[in-house]
Amino acid sequence: MQPPPASLAALPASLRAPRVRGHRVSAPTVVALKALPRRLALWSPRLTAVESRPPPSSPASAPPPLPESASAGLDAGIGGGGGGDGGGGADLGWVRVFPHVLTASMANFLFGYHIGVMNGPIEDIARELGLQGNPLLQGLLVSIFIVGAFFGSLGSAALVDNFGCKRTLQVDSVPLILGALLSAQATSLDEMLLGRFLVGIGIGVNTVLVPLYISEVAPTKYRGSLGTLCQIGSCLGIIAALSLGIPSESDPHWWRTMLYAACVPGVLIIVGMQFAVESPLWLAKVGRLDDAKKVVERIWGPSEVEKSMEEINSVVANNDSQASWSELLEEPHNRVALIGGSLFFLQQFAGINGVLYFSSLTFRDVGITSGILTSLYVGITNFAGSIVASNLMDKQGRKKLLTGSYIGMAGAMFLIAYAISFPLDEGVSHGLSITGTLLYIFTFAIGAGPVTGIIIPELSGARTRSKVMGFSFTVHWVCNFLVGLYFLELVKKFGVGAVYAGFGGVSLLSALFAYNFIVETKGRSLEEIEMSLSPAAAGKRE
């Protein structure tokens, strides 16, 4: 028997369930659980009241849903309860949905690949296209990608609302493939810019779409861990591009092969998504209830169908039409949009892209002159942090990881600033700089990187989720562009130490923001989260 969770142990004795084993409870406990949500709401104003359900007809039935702080793993609502684990064996509730989210996360692999693909051979590209010695045009080759992503993010909501996640992922792969082909065959600046712009549009749509899709098809119990596939996919894409780019150091035309290779994941996404499921919530919103029921049964298990469809129908009934952008100015959507935009604003101005850019110079100071090798070190560290995050996301929760991540990033920035600004032995200074850089990347990958993309669709209501995501990622791309544009100017004017100290200050502010304004979503269904953020809906539900 497993010991009772700490959250239950902290409750008064009269409110504790006597025994909890896996996802099943004894019949007397079921009766006690029936009234538990209302009693918990009276006991602590911090707990969200959840509607009580009739007791199950048999001891083997699933218990009624509980708030996250009292359920300790008993899942409720949209997202299912994890699909079961086979009665006490290995926990394999994620297996059914994994192929579907893995296929979708290939879009993030492409995102990472297109970030890394220009890292090594940019000088060869500039030489072949006649741009050598023109840093402005070389910078335009990189920044046009961000401009395309900006417009892709803006248009993503309309595509998802009308075509669903599955079809949008397939359609969006077309500009990714065409853009890669056009770039690979480019003989002029205009052709290369058009290709990179098309790729940017595709990436802009996908960065919104993939976390949204995962949040709506993943079981509640595994939603956080599966959501980290976005970050892991991006890391693997960067590593793949950098590894494939090693021959470019000796072959000046190798960059064309690298861009041709970018077409392959796009084709795999189109084919793979043909066998993937559509979001059951979107199917229900467009009236395809039978299809939604089949999807729920397929990825969450037959035992989840009745409960999950009841929850989905409840959400759809309250969201019977498509949202307009103006609704993001109304309660409670404006709160979620503000949180989403703020998270990406703080993430970018905490310096992640500046650190990634400057890391090559930091490594060069200690004798590692290969830019590709430097980026590989950074990419592997990023990947390692993402793996740790996938293991902790549904154990420690989003809020703890996000807050702790920013505190770690702040410490790393101050360490680098100290190493650069104070008179130290050269070897010590270089060692501290390397340690600080890798520590920053690792702590970013644990929280600030993956949590930001996971928690925004979780906090968003079904009606406005696509638009909140579109708005938040639009803020991301604008801030990304501004940091890239002004980073070197700030370094030139104030020095590296001062700029990194500024990044550390923003990281501390981000930790305070996360601690005070982020609502924990671990183990809570999307509907439960939506109700907890809507006072009117919560009052009506009681």
Side-chain angles (χ1 to χ4, degrees), residues 278-301:
E278 180 57 86
S279 161
L281 184 57
W282 182 83
L283 290 172
K285 284 170 66 176
V286 297
R288 295 167 58 183
L289 294 176
D290 289 340
D291 290 336
K293 187 175 180 179
K294 291 177 182 176
V295 169
V296 169
E297 183 175 1
R298 179 179 174 185
I299 61 175
W300 298 339

PDB file of all heavy atoms in Angstrom, residues 278-301:
ATOM      1  N   GLU A 278      -7.866  13.732 -33.935  1.00  0.00           N
ATOM      2  CA  GLU A 278      -8.200  15.147 -33.804  1.00  0.00           C
ATOM      3  C   GLU A 278      -8.528  15.439 -32.346  1.00  0.00           C
ATOM      4  O   GLU A 278      -8.859  14.526 -31.581  1.00  0.00           O
ATOM      5  CB  GLU A 278      -9.396  15.486 -34.703  1.00  0.00           C
ATOM      6  CG  GLU A 278      -9.849  16.933 -34.674  1.00  0.00           C
ATOM      7  CD  GLU A 278      -8.744  17.911 -35.031  1.00  0.00           C
ATOM      8  OE1 GLU A 278      -8.538  18.172 -36.224  1.00  0.00           O
ATOM      9  OE2 GLU A 278      -8.085  18.395 -34.079  1.00  0.00           O
ATOM     10  N   SER A 279      -8.403  16.680 -31.943  1.00  0.00           N
ATOM     11  CA  SER A 279      -8.783  17.069 -30.588  1.00  0.00           C
ATOM     12  C   SER A 279     -10.255  16.759 -30.353  1.00  0.00           C
ATOM     13  O   SER A 279     -11.120  17.237 -31.110  1.00  0.00           O
ATOM     14  CB  SER A 279      -8.533  18.564 -30.374  1.00  0.00           C
ATOM     15  OG  SER A 279      -9.267  19.043 -29.259  1.00  0.00           O
ATOM     16  N   PRO A 280     -10.585  15.968 -29.331  1.00  0.00           N
ATOM     17  CA  PRO A 280     -12.003  15.665 -29.080  1.00  0.00           C
ATOM     18  C   PRO A 280     -12.804  16.910 -28.735  1.00  0.00           C
ATOM     19  O   PRO A 280     -14.004  16.982 -29.036  1.00  0.00           O
ATOM     20  CB  PRO A 280     -11.954  14.679 -27.904  1.00  0.00           C
ATOM     21  CG  PRO A 280     -10.624  14.896 -27.263  1.00  0.00           C
ATOM     22  CD  PRO A 280      -9.702  15.302 -28.359  1.00  0.00           C
ATOM     23  N   LEU A 281     -12.175  17.880 -28.123  1.00  0.00           N
ATOM     24  CA  LEU A 281     -12.878  19.117 -27.788  1.00  0.00           C
ATOM     25  C   LEU A 281     -13.272  19.870 -29.049  1.00  0.00           C
ATOM     26  O   LEU A 281     -14.402  20.367 -29.165  1.00  0.00           O
ATOM     27  CB  LEU A 281     -11.987  19.990 -26.898  1.00  0.00           C
ATOM     28  CG  LEU A 281     -12.612  21.278 -26.370  1.00  0.00           C
ATOM     29  CD1 LEU A 281     -13.885  20.984 -25.590  1.00  0.00           C
ATOM     30  CD2 LEU A 281     -11.612  22.037 -25.506  1.00  0.00           C
ATOM     31  N   TRP A 282     -12.358  19.940 -30.030  1.00  0.00           N
ATOM     32  CA  TRP A 282     -12.699  20.615 -31.288  1.00  0.00           C
ATOM     33  C   TRP A 282     -13.792  19.848 -32.028  1.00  0.00           C
ATOM     34  O   TRP A 282     -14.712  20.467 -32.591  1.00  0.00           O
ATOM     35  CB  TRP A 282     -11.458  20.739 -32.173  1.00  0.00           C
ATOM     36  CG  TRP A 282     -11.749  21.460 -33.464  1.00  0.00           C
ATOM     37  CD1 TRP A 282     -11.796  22.804 -33.666  1.00  0.00           C
ATOM     38  CD2 TRP A 282     -12.080  20.859 -34.728  1.00  0.00           C
ATOM     39  NE1 TRP A 282     -12.127  23.094 -34.972  1.00  0.00           N
ATOM     40  CE2 TRP A 282     -12.309  21.912 -35.646  1.00  0.00           C
ATOM     41  CE3 TRP A 282     -12.206  19.546 -35.171  1.00  0.00           C
ATOM     42  CZ2 TRP A 282     -12.638  21.675 -36.978  1.00  0.00           C
ATOM     43  CZ3 TRP A 282     -12.543  19.315 -36.503  1.00  0.00           C
ATOM     44  CH2 TRP A 282     -12.758  20.365 -37.387  1.00  0.00           C
ATOM     45  N   LEU A 283     -13.723  18.527 -32.045  1.00  0.00           N
ATOM     46  CA  LEU A 283     -14.758  17.734 -32.705  1.00  0.00           C
ATOM     47  C   LEU A 283     -16.124  17.996 -32.102  1.00  0.00           C
ATOM     48  O   LEU A 283     -17.125  18.126 -32.824  1.00  0.00           O
ATOM     49  CB  LEU A 283     -14.411  16.239 -32.590  1.00  0.00           C
ATOM     50  CG  LEU A 283     -13.213  15.744 -33.402  1.00  0.00           C
ATOM     51  CD1 LEU A 283     -12.871  14.307 -33.026  1.00  0.00           C
ATOM     52  CD2 LEU A 283     -13.488  15.846 -34.903  1.00  0.00           C
ATOM     53  N   ALA A 284     -16.179  18.088 -30.786  1.00  0.00           N
ATOM     54  CA  ALA A 284     -17.457  18.370 -30.128  1.00  0.00           C
ATOM     55  C   ALA A 284     -17.934  19.785 -30.445  1.00  0.00           C
ATOM     56  O   ALA A 284     -19.140  20.013 -30.632  1.00  0.00           O
ATOM     57  CB  ALA A 284     -17.314  18.178 -28.618  1.00  0.00           C
ATOM     58  N   LYS A 285     -17.019  20.727 -30.530  1.00  0.00           N
ATOM     59  CA  LYS A 285     -17.397  22.120 -30.818  1.00  0.00           C
ATOM     60  C   LYS A 285     -18.022  22.264 -32.194  1.00  0.00           C
ATOM     61  O   LYS A 285     -18.886  23.123 -32.400  1.00  0.00           O
ATOM     62  CB  LYS A 285     -16.167  23.025 -30.702  1.00  0.00           C
ATOM     63  CG  LYS A 285     -15.752  23.305 -29.264  1.00  0.00           C
ATOM     64  CD  LYS A 285     -14.395  23.994 -29.196  1.00  0.00           C
ATOM     65  CE  LYS A 285     -14.421  25.375 -29.789  1.00  0.00           C
ATOM     66  NZ  LYS A 285     -13.120  26.066 -29.623  1.00  0.00           N
ATOM     67  N   VAL A 286     -17.602  21.426 -33.152  1.00  0.00           N
ATOM     68  CA  VAL A 286     -18.169  21.515 -34.506  1.00  0.00           C
ATOM     69  C   VAL A 286     -19.302  20.511 -34.700  1.00  0.00           C
ATOM     70  O   VAL A 286     -19.744  20.277 -35.827  1.00  0.00           O
ATOM     71  CB  VAL A 286     -17.081  21.317 -35.576  1.00  0.00           C
ATOM     72  CG1 VAL A 286     -16.047  22.418 -35.494  1.00  0.00           C
ATOM     73  CG2 VAL A 286     -16.414  19.946 -35.453  1.00  0.00           C
ATOM     74  N   GLY A 287     -19.772  19.899 -33.614  1.00  0.00           N
ATOM     75  CA  GLY A 287     -20.938  19.032 -33.681  1.00  0.00           C
ATOM     76  C   GLY A 287     -20.660  17.578 -34.003  1.00  0.00           C
ATOM     77  O   GLY A 287     -21.602  16.797 -34.178  1.00  0.00           O
ATOM     78  N   ARG A 288     -19.410  17.166 -34.059  1.00  0.00           N
ATOM     79  CA  ARG A 288     -19.076  15.763 -34.386  1.00  0.00           C
ATOM     80  C   ARG A 288     -18.904  14.966 -33.089  1.00  0.00           C
ATOM     81  O   ARG A 288     -17.819  14.501 -32.748  1.00  0.00           O
ATOM     82  CB  ARG A 288     -17.816  15.730 -35.243  1.00  0.00           C
ATOM     83  CG  ARG A 288     -18.001  16.385 -36.604  1.00  0.00           C
ATOM     84  CD  ARG A 288     -16.678  16.629 -37.325  1.00  0.00           C
ATOM     85  NE  ARG A 288     -15.917  15.388 -37.513  1.00  0.00           N
ATOM     86  CZ  ARG A 288     -14.700  15.356 -38.069  1.00  0.00           C
ATOM     87  NH1 ARG A 288     -14.138  16.492 -38.483  1.00  0.00           N
ATOM     88  NH2 ARG A 288     -14.059  14.210 -38.204  1.00  0.00           N
ATOM     89  N   LEU A 289     -19.981  14.821 -32.363  1.00  0.00           N
ATOM     90  CA  LEU A 289     -19.940  14.205 -31.035  1.00  0.00           C
ATOM     91  C   LEU A 289     -19.564  12.725 -31.093  1.00  0.00           C
ATOM     92  O   LEU A 289     -18.850  12.220 -30.220  1.00  0.00           O
ATOM     93  CB  LEU A 289     -21.277  14.392 -30.329  1.00  0.00           C
ATOM     94  CG  LEU A 289     -21.653  15.848 -29.984  1.00  0.00           C
ATOM     95  CD1 LEU A 289     -23.042  15.900 -29.368  1.00  0.00           C
ATOM     96  CD2 LEU A 289     -20.633  16.449 -29.028  1.00  0.00           C
ATOM     97  N   ASP A 290     -20.079  12.021 -32.103  1.00  0.00           N
ATOM     98  CA  ASP A 290     -19.737  10.592 -32.222  1.00  0.00           C
ATOM     99  C   ASP A 290     -18.239  10.413 -32.463  1.00  0.00           C
ATOM    100  O   ASP A 290     -17.616   9.501 -31.898  1.00  0.00           O
ATOM    101  CB  ASP A 290     -20.536   9.950 -33.361  1.00  0.00           C
ATOM    102  CG  ASP A 290     -22.012   9.807 -33.016  1.00  0.00           C
ATOM    103  OD1 ASP A 290     -22.335   9.840 -31.815  1.00  0.00           O
ATOM    104  OD2 ASP A 290     -22.827   9.681 -33.951  1.00  0.00           O
ATOM    105  N   ASP A 291     -17.662  11.281 -33.305  1.00  0.00           N
ATOM    106  CA  ASP A 291     -16.222  11.195 -33.559  1.00  0.00           C
ATOM    107  C   ASP A 291     -15.436  11.533 -32.298  1.00  0.00           C
ATOM    108  O   ASP A 291     -14.406  10.914 -32.012  1.00  0.00           O
ATOM    109  CB  ASP A 291     -15.824  12.151 -34.692  1.00  0.00           C
ATOM    110  CG  ASP A 291     -16.347  11.697 -36.044  1.00  0.00           C
ATOM    111  OD1 ASP A 291     -16.597  10.488 -36.198  1.00  0.00           O
ATOM    112  OD2 ASP A 291     -16.512  12.544 -36.941  1.00  0.00           O
ATOM    113  N   ALA A 292     -15.906  12.527 -31.561  1.00  0.00           N
ATOM    114  CA  ALA A 292     -15.236  12.900 -30.307  1.00  0.00           C
ATOM    115  C   ALA A 292     -15.251  11.735 -29.324  1.00  0.00           C
ATOM    116  O   ALA A 292     -14.253  11.456 -28.644  1.00  0.00           O
ATOM    117  CB  ALA A 292     -15.912  14.129 -29.693  1.00  0.00           C
ATOM    118  N   LYS A 293     -16.388  11.040 -29.261  1.00  0.00           N
ATOM    119  CA  LYS A 293     -16.522   9.892 -28.357  1.00  0.00           C
ATOM    120  C   LYS A 293     -15.551   8.783 -28.748  1.00  0.00           C
ATOM    121  O   LYS A 293     -14.919   8.152 -27.883  1.00  0.00           O
ATOM    122  CB  LYS A 293     -17.962   9.380 -28.397  1.00  0.00           C
ATOM    123  CG  LYS A 293     -18.265   8.296 -27.385  1.00  0.00           C
ATOM    124  CD  LYS A 293     -19.744   7.942 -27.416  1.00  0.00           C
ATOM    125  CE  LYS A 293     -20.066   6.852 -26.393  1.00  0.00           C
ATOM    126  NZ  LYS A 293     -21.504   6.511 -26.402  1.00  0.00           N
ATOM    127  N   LYS A 294     -15.396   8.547 -30.049  1.00  0.00           N
ATOM    128  CA  LYS A 294     -14.467   7.512 -30.517  1.00  0.00           C
ATOM    129  C   LYS A 294     -13.022   7.872 -30.169  1.00  0.00           C
ATOM    130  O   LYS A 294     -12.225   7.000 -29.796  1.00  0.00           O
ATOM    131  CB  LYS A 294     -14.609   7.333 -32.027  1.00  0.00           C
ATOM    132  CG  LYS A 294     -15.939   6.711 -32.462  1.00  0.00           C
ATOM    133  CD  LYS A 294     -16.037   6.638 -33.979  1.00  0.00           C
ATOM    134  CE  LYS A 294     -17.386   6.072 -34.413  1.00  0.00           C
ATOM    135  NZ  LYS A 294     -17.523   6.079 -35.895  1.00  0.00           N
ATOM    136  N   VAL A 295     -12.682   9.157 -30.306  1.00  0.00           N
ATOM    137  CA  VAL A 295     -11.325   9.592 -29.972  1.00  0.00           C
ATOM    138  C   VAL A 295     -11.044   9.404 -28.489  1.00  0.00           C
ATOM    139  O   VAL A 295      -9.980   8.918 -28.095  1.00  0.00           O
ATOM    140  CB  VAL A 295     -11.120  11.069 -30.390  1.00  0.00           C
ATOM    141  CG1 VAL A 295      -9.810  11.605 -29.809  1.00  0.00           C
ATOM    142  CG2 VAL A 295     -11.113  11.206 -31.897  1.00  0.00           C
ATOM    143  N   VAL A 296     -12.007   9.796 -27.650  1.00  0.00           N
ATOM    144  CA  VAL A 296     -11.848   9.643 -26.204  1.00  0.00           C
ATOM    145  C   VAL A 296     -11.622   8.173 -25.845  1.00  0.00           C
ATOM    146  O   VAL A 296     -10.741   7.831 -25.048  1.00  0.00           O
ATOM    147  CB  VAL A 296     -13.075  10.197 -25.457  1.00  0.00           C
ATOM    148  CG1 VAL A 296     -13.034   9.809 -23.980  1.00  0.00           C
ATOM    149  CG2 VAL A 296     -13.137  11.716 -25.599  1.00  0.00           C
ATOM    150  N   GLU A 297     -12.409   7.299 -26.444  1.00  0.00           N
ATOM    151  CA  GLU A 297     -12.272   5.870 -26.165  1.00  0.00           C
ATOM    152  C   GLU A 297     -10.916   5.345 -26.630  1.00  0.00           C
ATOM    153  O   GLU A 297     -10.296   4.509 -25.973  1.00  0.00           O
ATOM    154  CB  GLU A 297     -13.390   5.096 -26.848  1.00  0.00           C
ATOM    155  CG  GLU A 297     -13.371   3.603 -26.559  1.00  0.00           C
ATOM    156  CD  GLU A 297     -14.569   2.881 -27.146  1.00  0.00           C
ATOM    157  OE1 GLU A 297     -15.400   3.542 -27.800  1.00  0.00           O
ATOM    158  OE2 GLU A 297     -14.668   1.655 -26.963  1.00  0.00           O
ATOM    159  N   ARG A 298     -10.439   5.868 -27.751  1.00  0.00           N
ATOM    160  CA  ARG A 298      -9.187   5.386 -28.331  1.00  0.00           C
ATOM    161  C   ARG A 298      -7.967   5.812 -27.524  1.00  0.00           C
ATOM    162  O   ARG A 298      -7.050   5.015 -27.321  1.00  0.00           O
ATOM    163  CB  ARG A 298      -9.070   5.906 -29.771  1.00  0.00           C
ATOM    164  CG  ARG A 298      -7.791   5.483 -30.480  1.00  0.00           C
ATOM    165  CD  ARG A 298      -7.780   6.038 -31.909  1.00  0.00           C
ATOM    166  NE  ARG A 298      -6.509   5.771 -32.577  1.00  0.00           N
ATOM    167  CZ  ARG A 298      -6.203   6.226 -33.798  1.00  0.00           C
ATOM    168  NH1 ARG A 298      -7.091   6.954 -34.467  1.00  0.00           N
ATOM    169  NH2 ARG A 298      -5.045   5.952 -34.328  1.00  0.00           N
ATOM    170  N   ILE A 299      -7.936   7.063 -27.042  1.00  0.00           N
ATOM    171  CA  ILE A 299      -6.702   7.561 -26.419  1.00  0.00           C
ATOM    172  C   ILE A 299      -6.779   7.645 -24.895  1.00  0.00           C
ATOM    173  O   ILE A 299      -5.736   7.695 -24.232  1.00  0.00           O
ATOM    174  CB  ILE A 299      -6.311   8.948 -26.985  1.00  0.00           C
ATOM    175  CG1 ILE A 299      -7.402   9.989 -26.703  1.00  0.00           C
ATOM    176  CG2 ILE A 299      -6.002   8.857 -28.456  1.00  0.00           C
ATOM    177  CD1 ILE A 299      -7.021  11.390 -27.137  1.00  0.00           C
ATOM    178  N   TRP A 300      -7.994   7.650 -24.318  1.00  0.00           N
ATOM    179  CA  TRP A 300      -8.114   7.729 -22.860  1.00  0.00           C
ATOM    180  C   TRP A 300      -8.673   6.450 -22.247  1.00  0.00           C
ATOM    181  O   TRP A 300      -8.639   6.279 -21.034  1.00  0.00           O
ATOM    182  CB  TRP A 300      -8.980   8.913 -22.440  1.00  0.00           C
ATOM    183  CG  TRP A 300      -8.418  10.238 -22.848  1.00  0.00           C
ATOM    184  CD1 TRP A 300      -7.121  10.513 -23.166  1.00  0.00           C
ATOM    185  CD2 TRP A 300      -9.131  11.469 -23.007  1.00  0.00           C
ATOM    186  NE1 TRP A 300      -6.980  11.829 -23.504  1.00  0.00           N
ATOM    187  CE2 TRP A 300      -8.193  12.452 -23.424  1.00  0.00           C
ATOM    188  CE3 TRP A 300     -10.465  11.839 -22.846  1.00  0.00           C
ATOM    189  CZ2 TRP A 300      -8.553  13.773 -23.667  1.00  0.00           C
ATOM    190  CZ3 TRP A 300     -10.821  13.164 -23.079  1.00  0.00           C
ATOM    191  CH2 TRP A 300      -9.874  14.106 -23.491  1.00  0.00           C
ATOM    192  N   GLY A 301      -9.233   5.567 -23.099  1.00  0.00           N
ATOM    193  CA  GLY A 301      -9.748   4.304 -22.597  1.00  0.00           C
ATOM    194  C   GLY A 301     -11.258   4.305 -22.461  1.00  0.00           C
ATOM    195  O   GLY A 301     -11.886   5.346 -22.213  1.00  0.00           O
TER     196      GLY A 301
END
